[in-house]
Amino acid sequence: MMRSLKRLRKARLFFRYMKVLITQELGDYTDVHVNGGKTAYPVKVSNIQLSRTTAKANACKVTTNWFGFYRIWRGSNQIFDRVELSLPSYSYNSQAVWIPVPQSIKAAVNKQNFDFRGGLHAASHALLNVVPLHIICNSSDLAPECPNPHDRRYYPERILLYDQHPGGLGVSVQVQPLFTELLTAALQLLTSCYCLGDAGCPNCVQSFACHEYNEVLHKDAAIMILKGVLDADKSYFGGCSDSSKVSGVEEPCQTV
């Protein structure tokens, strides 16, 4: 009897030890298809988009697919097993606000050997972090596009936030007229934070609501992207700033 209890105690200790060493991470990816692009027919959300910004607010369809989960060693963060799952996808119609990132900015980021996808992810997080400071909402009302670190599919070259509720809440439509102001606030947030490392910190680019556990983040790339998008926006409306040069890539001024 005592020997069995000792074995049971050892088994419990071993189980607790293994539970600390091993974690399981669900593998999924979420696609946001903006209506008006190549994936759907144009649908207007708002007829009043009078602000000086190239950002657009559109209806969208959000689809999440689960393809399995990974068993990961916590100490080294290495995957040692993958379990595939066959689950139906989940989708709903919502609203999104987004702005494209010019190819010249992508080229400048890649020239610095920065992770462009991580920069887009970090810039979207920074934008999400400043929205509740300008609009009455919770940060959980919106969500950005979060790239899965194990997914190598095409990742849209844009900064996007979408209403994280079926049918939408109207928050994205409220964000659209303030998009330039919010991008500026996000850039100020990043440049004023003195944290070290590409992944940033919870004060700037990390988010507790990130669907991908704050992986694939690059703070310096996000700063370059935000500066470039703001300069491109100003150039489109005929105004130039001193930050129009992004790591040696200069955006010409245009008038419309």
Side-chain angles (χ1 to χ4, degrees), residues 47-57 97 173-181 233 236-237:
N47 293 324
I48 304 175
Q49 296 186 5
L50 304 177
S51 58
R52 292 172 66 85
T53 177
T54 56
K56 296 178 175 60
V97 58
V173 178
Q174 295 180 58
V175 167
Q176 190 274 334
L178 304 175
F179 209 83
T180 300
E181 180 182 348
D233 226 26
Y236 182 83
F237 291 102

Side-chain angles (χ1 to χ4, degrees), residues 106-119:
K106 180 180 180 180
V109 171
N110 291 334
K111 188 177 180 180
Q112 295 293 321
N113 292 322
F114 292 160
D115 184 0
F116 179 70
R117 191 170 66 146

Side-chain angles (χ1 to χ4, degrees), residues 8 54 69 100 125 137 193 212 231 250:
L8 180 60
T54 56
F69 63 88
H125 274 195
C137 69
C193 185
E212 298 300 337
D231 287 336
E250 185 174 355

